[in-house]
Structures are given as structure tokens and as C-alpha cells.
Amino acid sequence: MKIAALSAASGLSLPTLKFYLREGLLHPGQSTAVNQAEYDQGHLRRLRLIRALSELGGLGLADIRRVLAAVDDEDRPLHDTFGVAQDAMAARPHAPSPAARAATDRFIHRHGLRVRPEAEVRALLAESVDALHDFALCGPAHDHDAVAAALDPLLPETLAAADRALASVPAAAPRGEQLLVTVVGTIAWEAALLALRRLALEHASALRAAPPRAG
Amino acid sequence: MKIAALSAASGLSLPTLKFYLREGLLHPGQSTAVNQAEYDQGHLRRLRLIRALSELGGLGLADIRRVLAAVDDEDRPLHDTFGVAQDAMAARPHAPSPAARAATDRFIHRHGLRVRPEAEVRALLAESVDALHDFALCGPAHDHDAVAAALDPLLPETLAAADRALASVPAAAPRGEQLLVTVVGTIAWEAALLALRRLALEHASALRAAPPRAG
DNA sequence: CATTGTGGATAGTGAAACTATCCGCTCTCG
DNA sequence: CGAGAGCGGATAGTTTCACTATCCACAATG
């Protein structure tokens, strides 16, 4: 497969492919001459991964590069790599309030969750706790801990779902395959759950606005 | 409150406030002279809303403007406004495959969900169905409908949760308040649920990597 | 052997979200 | 009352991001 074929197969413009090659997001093809190279299914898979991270996950190219680097590092243990990928996926200019951050950390500790102290996801959760608190979305006159506590009833089912998700990854599959399933699975399922939730909200809102006539 | 005070209270730089005023995201203050104006708590609330939409929801200023316009249009029915806000929140360069789109539409019809035919959320869901399908994340050899069907068991609880969320909005509250709760609530809860899910994934991954010693 | 395609390099583009200056006026404080 | 800080309004500049366009010398192909 030459670059034009890769472009056609991936749906990405030829200049974009060259750009990704330059940036190191896509590894060079197998050289057949000084100015000719051959691309394969691996390149196509890589491109689908990049697009999924970009479009579905909303990641910038810099963060995508970090995810790819972690995925490519064969010596890295699986869990470790997943952590790096998670951090890259959460990378944003976070600025949760110290109070929200502390409440979040207490929430994690209280439930005995094994989450790295430096994991970005802590800031991610703290940010939303801040918003729920600031807009009094968990009822009025609550502190950050009370807001975090509102998440308590959701945790068991969320933990069970996460465990099921990881259990569905075939343990015998090669490392790259397992990572792809966990990393892309994370963002694809997230996107699906979000969309489902919004669907449900629109439906519920429609019902309230104009209830179906009984009978 | 003069603009410098508004800047201090909101944490946004003075040039940024001027920029928002220019862009019409923030309504002008009450003029007290040709070059003096007074700002109030309403401006502060508006700024918090803008920042929540931007940082938490990841919306661009153009989409934020659409949300604000819908919220500001007092004559618009509540459900209608929520639809506009939802569409703005989902606005991205979507390009789901026709197959995924069709499967999504069938999913919605099959469950009798009242979702506008033109609602952006359909494309949102279709996109994730595409990804789940492309990466065979619902098991191999399935078509788009089978992938969508994997969401079936999640729907009842999601619908119930959406109904609870809307039920928690005080019906007696003024329109602006109700909208704030639904719009900000939508994105803040989304962010919280996502973070919770990632927390659970990291925890589950850690358990698999190094199970706690029994005893 | 002419056309088309290719890898590699360099430079340019357009959108997005601010940021910096300037100006003439006004409020405030000594 | 007068100086200086602060203000609104306007114009222009900056940075980052993710591409996109050109150019080149050379290979592949009909």
C-alpha cells in the first residue's frame, strides 16, 4: 500500500498523513527506495486509533502522542501504561479549588480506591465537584464533602461496570490488543454513555413538556 | 461593582472581560456615565456559567453564545430551550457512518424515545456506535444494530436517572433558574460521572495488576 | 520516455481565544 | 482643584493548534 492508497483507505488527506509522519504520530513505512515506502494494515489501525482519540476523545495531538508513546513502549506493564493513557486523556488546564480537591481525595480514601495520588482523574473529579457545589446542584448549603458524598450510591454499580469492562478484555490477547481495547474502549464507552444519558434527558424533558395522553 | 472588581471576583483577566463584552457573551453593565458602568451579581453568575460551559463542557465560545441566546430568550418554552442547549453542547464535526446513524435511529424508535429527528445527540450516539463497531468492542462480527443493542440493558436505569435529575428541578423556580440547573446540571453531572467511571477503571486495573493479598 | 506519484523539507493558512495598546474621559484622593 | 489612576471603547497583535500548500529531485509506470 502506497501513501495514496493509505489516504484513500483512511479517509485522511495526503497532506495530513505527511503531517502525522513528520510529527511522529505515524511510524514511517517500509522503504523500498530513496523516495518510496510501503504502508500496511498496522498504519491503518494506527490512524483509526489517532482519529478515535482525536474526534471521540477530544484529545489534542500532543496528548495523543503521549498515549501512543505509552502504548508503544512494550516494556511497560499494562496497568502502568493504562495510567499514562488515562492521564493523557484527562489532560486539561485543571484548576479545582483546594477544598474540592481535598474532598475528592477523602472520597477516594474513604472508599479504599486504589488510585495513584498524582492521577489526573482526581483533578477531573474535583473540578466537577466544584461545579456541582458552586451551582448548588446537590441541594443548597452543602460543603464539598457533601457533594462528593452524593456520588456514594453510584459507586458500587460503577465499580462493577468497570470490572466487567476490564474482564471483557481477553487475557490471552497480545499486549497491543489489550491496550487498544482498554484505551479506545474507555473513550468509546464514555461517549456512548454520555450520548445515552443525553438521549434520556431529552426524552424525559419531552415527557414533562407534553405528557402522552393516557389511554 | 466596577469592572476591576468583577475581574477580581470572577478570576478572569480584565482584557478577557472586555473581550466577552465585545463578543456579547456578557451583557453591558449599567452605565453611570459615558465611560463608566456598574456590574452586579448577575454578571458574576453569567461569567460562572460561561466558564462552566467552557471548561467543564469543553464548548467553544460560538456554541456558548448559542446556549446563552436560548437561555436568554424568555419566550421560548423550557423544553425547547433545553433542546437548543443540548444541540449546542453536542456541536462538533460529526461524521457518523450512515449505517451507524440508521442503527441509532432504529434504537431510538424501538424504545419509543421522544427525541427530535434533528437532535444532535443522535449523531453523537451514532459516532460512538461507529467506534464501538470499528474496534469490535462489543465482541467480534456484529453489525451496528447489534452494537446499539448492547446499550439496551443500560437504558432503563439511564432513563430513570434522567427522570430523577429533572424531577429534582424545583418546578416553582423561575425559568432562568430551572434552565441553569438543567443545563449546568447536565454537563456537571456528566463530568462527574465520567470522572467516577475513570476512577473505577483505574481502581479495577490496579486490582488486576496487583491483587490485594488475601487474609 | 513522458507523466504521475513519492518522500522530505519549508512555509503558509485559518480558526479560536485571548492579550496589548491607545485614546479621551471621569472619578477619586490629597 | 488638580494629578493620577481607572474606565469604556476601539483597533491591532499574539499564541496555539491542526492542518494545508508548494517545491524539489527522483522513482515508478504505462
Side-chain angles (χ1 to χ4, degrees), chain A residues 14-208:
Chain A
L14 201 139
T16 299
L17 296 186
K18 286 185 162 196
F19 171 69
Y20 286 171
L21 284 166
R22 266 203 310 285
E23 294 289 300
L25 295 174
L26 187 63
H27 39 278
Q30 187 75 345
S31 287
T32 62
V34 61
N35 68 338
Q36 306 276 268
E38 194 68 13
Y39 302 90
D40 58 24
Q41 293 302 316
H43 292 91
L44 203 50
R45 259 189 289 118
R46 171 60 65 111
L47 287 173
R48 286 199 299 153
L49 174 55
I50 292 172
R51 296 318 292 182
L53 290 171
S54 165
E55 287 167 19
L56 220 53
L59 302 208
L61 294 191
D63 294 323
I64 291 178
R65 208 190 334 261
R66 287 172 54 206
V67 175
L68 295 179
V71 169
D72 286 342
D73 184 352
E74 296 283 340
D75 296 333
R76 211 157 198 159
L78 208 67
H79 170 59
D80 198 54
T81 304
F82 183 56
V84 172
Q86 281 251 48
D87 285 351
M89 288 190 262
R92 277 197 284 162
H94 297 298
S97 70
R101 176 62 199 237
T104 302
D105 288 345
R106 277 192 293 273
F107 174 87
I108 290 169
H109 184 257
R110 178 154 51 85
H111 290 287
L113 297 176
R114 294 186 37 189
V115 175
R116 289 160 299 139
E118 75 281 10
E120 290 286 340
V121 68
R122 287 172 183 253
L124 212 56
L125 184 55
E127 255 194 340
S128 57
V129 165
D130 256 337
L132 291 171
H133 175 264
D134 286 358
F135 290 97
L137 291 171
C138 295
H142 284 329
D143 62 2
H144 289 94
D145 284 288
V147 172
L151 298 174
D152 282 353
L154 301 172
L155 191 58
E157 172 51 26
T158 307
L159 279 172
D163 199 59
R164 280 198 301 277
L166 289 189
S168 78
V169 179
R175 189 194 115 100
E177 177 70 18
Q178 290 192 30
L179 270 173
L180 189 92
V181 172
T182 43
V183 171
V184 180
T186 300
I187 61 168
W189 277 106
E190 265 173 20
L193 296 177
L194 275 199
L196 201 63
R197 188 179 144 83
R198 291 215 183 152
L199 219 57
L201 279 170
E202 170 142 359
H203 175 73
S205 171
L207 284 191
R208 266 156 206 279

Side-chain angles (χ1 to χ4, degrees), chain B residues 25-27 42-50 68 72:
Chain B
L25 295 174
L26 187 63
H27 39 279
H43 291 91
L44 204 49
R45 259 189 289 116
R46 171 60 65 110
L47 287 174
R48 286 200 300 151
L49 174 56
I50 292 172
L68 295 179
D72 286 343

